[in-house]
Amino acid sequence: MKYPKTYIDEIKNRLKVSDVVGSKIGLKKRGKEFIGLSPFKKEKTPSFTVSDEKGFYHCFSTGEHGNIFDFIMKTENLNFGEAVKNLALRAGMPVYKFSKEDEKLESSFQKNKNIFKIFFEECNNTLNQKYQNSHLNYLIKNRNLNAETIKFFEIGFCENSTELENKLIQSGFSMEDLINSGLYYKNDKNQKLIPRFFNRIVFPIKDEYGSYVGCGGRSTSEDNFAKYINTPETLFYKKGNNLFNFNHAKKQVGETEDLIIVEGYMDAISLYDKGIKNVCATLGTAITNNQIRLAWKKFKNILICFDNDQSGQEAAYRAAERALIAIEPGLDVFFIDLGKEKDPDEFIKKFGLNSFQSIINNKKNIIEFIFEYHLSKLKNFEPSQVSLMEKNLFKLCEAIQNPISQKYFKNAFKNIIFTKIIKNKNKKNISDIKEIKKASHRLLFNKQEICEFSFLNLLISYPNFSEDRVEEISNIKFKTEQANQYKDELIKLFLNNHSNSKEFIKKIELINPTMLQKIKDISNNSIIISKLNKEDFDVFFDDYIKEIFKFNEETKITSLEEGVLKSLDENLYKQLVSLKNKGNL
């Protein structure tokens, strides 16, 4: 529910940040600000600053920053609505009354939480009292979980009986309430409720504030159609918006900047059990943009540790692509290699905590991971294949929203390609290296520029054929003034009949050596135009003329469209329509 800005501002006006923070930690006045020991990290030297004038706190040791609402949410593990109510009461203000729809939504949310609370309490009791020698024993002996961990995560067992359903009904919940929670569904034939997680070990799913929102279940029977299932998406549970165990993992912010993300909740529970507290799971979905943002909300670094099978590695790559789009300076993503083990649970059970810590220390950064993924897809190391790979990497970079990060990643990919492919190639393949470098350099130019430079390369390569078409060449207008000047110099050489002599080669090298090298580097037709006869040359010549003309028309149209938008001039509009009709653009 969204509170009115005026109500939130009134709470801020009535409560000083130093008073709210001072109720939790000791503060000392220093000039206009207050300092104290961070509540988010154990420290001996104060790094926590509070400014009443600016209305915020800042922790220099952890990077935590926010206002009074953020502070209460983080230190008391409350959601925003609960923090507002808490602070409103401190400020002597009445609890805000929402509309009937808002109140109905809040009532449904509280009702949902209470259903889950009863459900998980009963399932936990069932596991410990009725299934000590079977399902509880499986968790302790087969999955190597401590009893304290099972209790901590409130793991239980859901029986295929009406006992729990009856208790929920007797507690005042309707059949519709139970269906809306996602824990039950209705049998279409007899209209009876069916527990969705019957004969399954159940795992509570909580949001970042610790409120129950969903349930995960592992089958204990071969009759069940899937080993693992989750509650369907409901009004309060969206898989892609939550990370399993994030409510506990975020408490590690003062101890580490890293959040490990695994695929399954059993992986997360197993790592947590062995001492890895900063771990979350994706709840059985491919990682989403919202999950990535949620992780970066508290942690600087995301460490992806997905299963070591094909689907797990493909999911890891998709996670890399999504993270790359949202990445910003100061944030990072790494990938953990499990070696030959199939998943994190298996690895830590087999090798223990110290070995898992070792593979964390050897993590790959996102640049290495993405590069190696694309490298594995290469059919060979021919220039065309390598340049295509770099084109695809640059395309990924174009989607990065932060311009500074985009520039950095483009340069990083360019460097890693040069270091790991071009630099290490055998000297016998020096011509290939040059072609790869050219292809890499070419990615910095647009299609129009590449087309124009390729056309100039055609003229230089066949001066004897080009001099016959000087009139057409002189009528061409290139995008850059440098290219136009170079074209004019070529025309002079053609008109002076140097095209059939060795003198032409020497003179063309003297015109503008830098421009000549640029043409050789940027043009993409050196191989395909080798050994042309006059007829083939004319075909290429005509095709380039058409392409250049098309690019020029598109430029005119863009310019006219901008002019029309700015001035709404009728004559400009008529020119625009005429130009579009002429070129069918």
Side-chain angles (χ1 to χ4, degrees):
M1 292 183 289
K2 191 172 183 180
Y3 287 86
K5 187 176 183 299
T6 52
Y7 185 77
I8 298 297
D9 288 343
E10 182 61 24
I11 296 175
K12 289 180 180 178
N13 290 334
R14 294 193 186 194
L15 295 175
K16 291 182 179 180
V17 184
S18 59
D19 289 338
V20 175
V21 174
S23 67
K24 296 283 184 183
I25 64 171
L27 293 175
K28 290 184 179 180
K29 185 85 169 174
R30 189 180 66 180
K32 292 183 179 180
E33 299 178 340
F34 297 83
I35 61 168
L37 295 173
S38 172
F40 305 114
K41 184 178 182 180
K42 293 178 182 178
E43 60 182 11
K44 294 181 180 179
T45 304
S47 70
F48 193 83
T49 305
V50 174
S51 172
D52 286 332
E53 185 179 350
K54 297 176 181 176
F56 65 73
Y57 64 86
H58 183 81
C59 178
F60 287 93
S61 62
T62 65
E64 289 285 352
H65 179 97
N67 55 32
I68 53 175
F69 301 100
D70 299 311
F71 185 79
I72 291 298
M73 288 163 66
K74 290 168 183 174
T75 57
E76 298 189 15
N77 203 30
L78 303 176
N79 61 34
F80 181 70
E82 291 167 337
V84 172
K85 289 178 183 177
N86 182 304
L87 291 171
L89 291 172
R90 292 194 199 185
M93 293 171 60
V95 175
Y96 185 79
K97 295 289 181 71
F98 286 95
S99 66
K100 290 183 178 180
E101 284 299 317
D102 291 328
E103 290 175 357
K104 185 178 178 182
L105 188 66
E106 179 66 17
S107 175
S108 297
F109 181 60
Q110 294 301 327
K111 186 182 292 184
N112 208 57
K113 285 202 306 183
N114 291 332
I115 289 173
F116 277 115
K117 186 175 185 296
I118 294 172
F119 178 85
F120 289 122
E121 282 178 353
E122 289 301 310
C123 288
N124 184 259
N125 290 335
T126 299
L127 177 69
N128 287 285
Q129 295 171 10
K130 294 184 180 182
Y131 296 92
Q132 289 177 320
N133 298 324
S134 54
H135 306 316
L136 182 59
N137 187 61
Y138 161 79
L139 291 170
I140 295 173
K141 295 286 181 67
N142 294 57
R143 305 311 294 253
N144 292 344
L145 297 180
N146 292 311
E148 293 79 8
T149 301
I150 295 170
K151 182 180 179 181
F152 180 81
F153 282 98
E154 303 169 55
I155 301 171
F157 179 73
C158 179
E159 292 183 302
N160 188 12
S161 72
T162 58
E163 188 177 333
L164 181 51
E165 176 193 334
N166 292 335
K167 181 162 186 175
L168 288 165
I169 296 293
Q170 289 168 10
S171 299
F173 302 110
S174 66
M175 290 179 66
E176 184 181 1
D177 293 333
L178 301 185
I179 293 170
N180 289 338
S181 72
L183 294 172
Y184 289 84
Y185 63 92
K186 188 182 289 186
N187 186 310
D188 293 333
K189 292 182 180 179
N190 57 26
Q191 298 299 299
K192 289 185 178 181
L193 285 184
I194 306 295
R196 190 179 299 276
F197 296 92
F198 70 87
N199 290 338
R200 289 181 182 272
I201 295 171
V202 293
F203 308 86
I205 297 171
K206 299 180 180 181
D207 63 16
E208 63 174 305
Y209 306 110
S211 296
Y212 297 111
V213 290
C215 176
R218 186 197 187 282
S219 174
T220 60
S221 169
E222 294 181 0
D223 295 335
N224 285 331
F225 65 90
K227 183 183 285 187
Y228 287 97
I229 62 170
N230 291 328
T231 42
E233 296 208 340
T234 65
L235 191 61
F236 308 109
Y237 174 56
K238 308 295 180 188
K239 293 178 185 178
N241 293 347
N242 291 279
L243 286 167
F244 178 79
N245 193 50
F246 189 76
N247 58 307
H248 296 307
K250 70 178 185 179
K251 296 173 185 176
Q252 303 301 311
V253 167
E255 305 298 323
T256 179
E257 296 179 330
D258 301 339
L259 178 69
I260 300 169
I261 299 182
V262 295
E263 287 187 82
Y265 30 74
M266 273 308 302
D267 290 318
I269 292 170
S270 182
L271 292 181
Y272 196 98
D273 181 79
K274 304 303 182 294
I276 306 290
K277 308 296 184 183
N278 55 322
V279 62
C280 291
T282 60
L283 296 166
T285 65
I287 198 167
T288 66
N289 296 333
N290 287 341
Q291 288 172 328
I292 290 168
R293 281 192 286 268
L294 177 61
W296 272 333
K297 184 177 174 182
K298 299 290 184 182
F299 295 88
K300 178 183 175 183
N301 303 319
I302 296 173
L303 278 58
I304 303 294
C305 186
F306 285 177
D307 292 357
N308 197 21
D309 54 17
Q310 185 174 350
S311 61
Q313 291 308 295
E314 290 295 331
Y317 178 72
R318 290 195 298 273
E321 283 190 326
R322 286 174 180 162
L324 193 66
I325 293 171
I327 205 163
E328 294 181 2
L331 302 177
D332 220 328
V333 185
F334 297 89
F335 295 82
I336 299 173
D337 186 356
L338 293 170
K340 296 180 180 179
E341 309 314 312
K342 68 177 183 179
D343 56 42
D345 178 31
E346 182 180 273
F347 185 99
I348 202 160
K349 280 194 297 188
K350 189 173 181 180
F351 299 108
L353 179 61
N354 290 338
S355 293
F356 192 83
Q357 192 61 55
S358 295
I359 62 170
I360 289 177
N361 295 337
N362 291 323
K363 59 187 179 290
K364 295 177 184 176
N365 63 42
I366 190 171
I367 294 169
E368 290 175 305
F369 181 81
I370 291 177
F371 170 77
E372 289 179 8
Y373 177 88
H374 282 266
L375 190 65
S376 69
K377 304 295 182 183
L378 274 188
K379 296 176 182 178
N380 53 57
F381 289 93
E382 292 298 320
S384 60
Q385 289 291 309
V386 177
S387 61
L388 179 61
M389 180 180 74
E390 184 162 348
K391 180 180 179 181
N392 290 333
L393 291 174
F394 268 50
K395 189 175 181 181
L396 284 178
C397 293
E398 293 294 339
I400 298 175
Q401 295 166 349
N402 183 280
I404 297 173
S405 296
Q406 184 182 112
K407 181 180 178 181
Y408 166 78
F409 276 91
K410 277 186 176 181
N411 288 333
F413 281 127
K414 194 182 299 181
N415 290 337
I416 198 171
I417 285 176
F418 177 76
T419 303
K420 294 200 173 186
I421 296 180
I422 300 174
K423 194 174 181 181
N424 293 330
K425 282 193 61 94
N426 192 298
K427 291 182 179 180
K428 292 180 181 179
N429 297 325
I430 194 68
S431 61
D432 286 355
I433 296 174
K434 290 179 179 179
E435 285 302 316
I436 293 170
K437 283 184 177 179
K438 287 180 185 179
S440 173
H441 184 57
R442 203 177 296 135
L443 292 170
L444 301 175
F445 296 86
N446 60 38
K447 291 180 180 179
Q448 182 174 356
E449 290 169 322
I450 293 172
C451 176
E452 292 175 353
F453 280 108
S454 296
F455 178 65
L456 287 173
N457 192 42
L458 178 71
L459 302 184
I460 292 168
S461 302
Y462 294 94
N464 54 328
F465 297 153
S466 298
E467 71 174 15
D468 295 335
R469 308 195 66 166
V470 167
E471 187 175 347
E472 292 167 274
I473 296 170
S474 62
N475 290 328
I476 294 171
K477 179 70 175 176
F478 290 134
K479 181 180 180 179
T480 64
E481 190 57 36
Q482 190 181 25
N484 284 314
Q485 290 175 358
Y486 195 82
K487 177 202 68 175
D488 292 340
E489 292 295 333
L490 284 180
I491 290 173
K492 289 179 183 177
L493 289 181
F494 295 148
L495 292 175
N496 289 330
N497 296 317
H498 290 300
S499 57
N500 288 315
S501 67
K502 292 182 179 179
E503 188 180 352
F504 178 86
I505 306 291
K506 294 179 181 179
K507 285 187 174 289
I508 205 167
E509 288 175 348
L510 293 173
I511 291 175
N512 187 335
T514 303
M515 185 62 178
L516 179 61
Q517 188 59 52
K518 194 173 181 180
I519 291 169
K520 295 295 183 183
D521 288 344
I522 299 172
S523 60
N524 62 359
N525 61 355
S526 295
I527 296 175
I528 61 173
I529 65 170
S530 61
K531 298 180 181 179
L532 296 181
N533 56 36
K534 181 64 167 66
E535 185 179 352
D536 291 335
F537 169 86
D538 288 336
V539 170
F540 274 99
F541 185 97
D542 292 337
D543 284 344
Y544 279 121
I545 292 288
K546 288 177 184 176
E547 282 298 307
I548 293 168
F549 174 79
K550 183 180 177 182
F551 281 126
N552 289 337
E553 294 293 281
E554 288 173 351
T555 301
K556 288 179 185 177
I557 288 171
T558 301
S559 178
L560 284 171
E561 284 176 340
E562 291 174 354
V564 170
L565 287 173
K566 287 180 180 178
S567 64
L568 298 178
D569 185 276
E570 188 174 347
N571 288 329
L572 287 179
Y573 179 74
K574 288 179 180 178
Q575 290 179 46
L576 178 62
V577 172
S578 174
L579 201 56
K580 282 191 172 184
N581 289 337
K582 181 180 177 182
N584 293 318
L585 297 170

